[in-house]
Each structure stands twice: as C-alpha cells, then as structure tokens.
Amino acid sequence: MPETITLAAGWIQTGTGLGNDVKGLIFNVAIPVLCGIFVIVVGWKTKAPGPTIMAVIFAGIVWGLSSNMGALKDKTTEDITNYNSGSSLSRMDQ
C-alpha cells in the first residue's frame, strides 16, 4: 500500500509561521512606531499645539483600533450574521 506524502507541508508550515510573525510585528511594533513618527513629524513641521494635539488623537485612534482587531472582527461577524438572518431588520425602504 503506497504511502501519501504531502510535499509542500514544510513550506506551508513555514509560510504560516512567517505570516503570524509578520502580523505580530505589524500590530505590536510597526503601527505604534509609525503613530509615534506621525506625531513627531506633525509637531516638528507645524510647531503649533493644535495640529499636534489632533495628530496625537488621530494616532491614538489608529493605534487603539489596530490593537482591538479581535473585538472588531467579532462585531463585524455578529453584524453580518444578524443581517443574513434578517431577525432584527425592518424592511421600511422596500
């Protein structure tokens, strides 16, 4: 009886591992660093408190949303499920 061998198993596992590592680097390192650079550049270029404060607020929103991707994914999935089931929708625009 011949034995089946998946030739790409090692490559698939390596790709999955790299994907998880890259995702972790993006969300845990790249986004916070880029938010900090954004605030510093806006503060340096404008030399005014108003735009710098708005840059801090915007960077905080971006950083906060990127760190809560799991919660956003669950909320999106819940919204799609509710829409598909049609349980809580009113059909007033038909």
Side-chain angles (χ1 to χ4, degrees):
M1 190 156 154
E3 183 178 334
T4 8
I5 300 172
T6 306
L7 297 176
W11 288 107
I12 293 170
Q13 187 176 11
T14 302
T16 302
L18 286 175
N20 290 334
D21 291 343
V22 169
K23 185 177 87 170
L25 280 174
I26 289 171
F27 285 111
N28 297 329
V29 177
I31 291 176
V33 167
L34 289 174
C35 286
I37 291 171
F38 173 70
V39 170
I40 290 169
V41 167
V42 168
W44 183 274
K45 291 286 187 181
T46 62
K47 294 185 179 24
T52 306
I53 291 170
M54 290 306 295
V56 168
I57 291 170
F58 182 68
I61 290 170
V62 169
W63 192 350
L65 288 175
S66 70
S67 66
N68 291 322
M69 288 299 255
L72 293 172
K73 178 186 70 92
D74 293 340
K75 178 64 177 143
T76 305
T77 303
E78 179 184 322
D79 289 346
I80 291 171
T81 303
N82 287 339
Y83 179 79
N84 286 337
S85 68
S87 61
S88 64
L89 296 174
S90 63
R91 305 281 181 177
M92 297 184 68
D93 57 327
Q94 288 186 348

